[in-house]
Amino acid sequence: MAGPPPTLVLAAHGTRSAAGERTLAALAGSVRRARPGHRVELGFLEISGPPLADVLPAVHGPVVVVPLLLAGGYHVHIDLPEVIAARRPDALVAGPLGPHSLLTSALARTLDRAGLRGADTVILAAAGSSDPAGLADVRAAARRLAVRLSRPVTAAFAASGTPSLPGAVDRARVRSGGRVLVASYVLAPGFFHDRLAGAGADLVTAPLAPDPAVTALIWHRFDEALERRRPAPAPASMQARAVVHPSAPRPGGQPSVSRSRRRR
């Protein structure tokens, strides 16, 4: 009889914002409601509680960790693996949430709710990273959004990475002379969303976590991690070679007769 499904552990960065913590707790609640038969826990890499390092060993049975991070970077490639190696080395670890078409849809909805107009310039703004791969993930998300909106979208960064968000806003305003909208590529309120709000744009969208697409994407990453664990089926060419040896006993107990002997 099969046991209970693996526990989903959401690994968040952490925030000093009470609103940010409430948003992430609400997101975890939405994830639980989406699949009632699964246990879902939320842990933080730093600042907020409970610490991920305490959550992981307290969970019994199989574990799948899904990072609540929109792009690769230090936390995905260094910080999180260190915690898992020390506290739960048997855990399966999913990739970061982005880039993904579900996030593109969520971003498009937040821009629509903010009142996006045809002449507006759109900037996709993220915290940034010292890891080039993390910056590349954000730029890939900007390209996806540009295709969805049928207009150029520039990726810019509030902390690490170029172009900086304030510089991108200033250049966009000079070029277009119209409104500049910032699509917030963060999950919850907090330090980085405040940085986006203070960069001088005409409008800044809300963080992404309330959107149901984020919940759907979390479960998608969970399923992907489980799928990678399953062994791949043998190729058809390998299966075709698994034939009975001429000298092996046949189902009726008699050895098979080779084709060359039958021709004698």
Side-chain angles (χ1 to χ4, degrees):
M1 182 175 178
T7 297
L8 166 58
V9 175
L10 302 171
H13 174 265
T15 176
R16 291 183 174 85
S17 165
E21 290 184 340
R22 288 194 299 270
T23 297
L24 293 173
L27 175 61
S30 175
V31 172
R32 289 187 190 98
R33 290 190 295 274
R35 293 192 186 180
H38 287 71
R39 180 180 176 183
V40 176
E41 299 292 343
L42 173 63
F44 295 90
L45 288 166
E46 59 185 37
I47 304 173
S48 302
L52 181 65
D54 293 344
V55 171
L56 287 171
V59 175
H60 300 290
V63 171
V64 177
V65 178
V66 176
L68 294 186
L69 301 165
L70 297 175
Y74 176 83
H75 294 296
V76 170
H77 301 303
I78 304 296
D79 205 7
L80 179 60
E82 286 182 351
V83 174
I84 290 172
R87 308 296 285 177
R88 196 61 194 262
D90 63 313
L92 296 177
V93 185
L97 297 181
H100 196 275
S101 58
L102 285 168
L103 292 177
T104 306
S105 298
L107 288 164
R109 280 190 289 271
T110 62
L111 285 164
D112 184 63
R113 287 194 292 266
L116 178 65
R117 301 173 187 168
D120 292 339
T121 298
V122 175
I123 297 173
L124 180 68
S129 173
S130 58
D131 183 349
L135 302 181
D137 284 347
V138 177
R139 294 183 181 116
R143 291 192 295 270
R144 288 172 177 262
L145 184 59
V147 172
R148 178 67 61 90
L149 300 178
S150 299
R151 71 177 76 197
V153 175
T154 300
F157 305 95
S160 301
T162 57
S164 71
L165 179 58
V169 170
D170 290 343
R171 286 189 291 273
R173 199 178 302 285
V174 169
R175 285 196 304 265
S176 70
R179 297 196 314 168
V180 179
L181 269 65
V182 165
S184 176
Y185 201 52
V186 300
L187 282 177
F191 175 78
F192 287 115
H193 188 72
D194 291 345
R195 292 281 295 269
L196 306 190
D202 295 285
L203 287 171
V204 178
T205 65
L208 288 169
D211 196 286
V214 178
T215 295
L217 179 55
I218 288 168
W219 283 116
H220 175 70
R221 294 301 191 212
F222 174 91
D223 292 337
E224 281 184 332
L226 288 177
E227 191 63 31
R228 287 197 304 270
R229 183 185 65 177
R230 298 189 181 100
S237 59
M238 294 288 291
Q239 296 174 9
R241 287 198 289 270
V243 296
V244 179
H245 189 273
S247 62
R250 306 288 289 181
Q254 298 297 322
S256 65
V257 179
S258 69
R259 186 178 301 171
S260 60
R261 290 179 60 189
R262 287 199 300 268
R263 288 175 179 170
R264 291 178 183 175

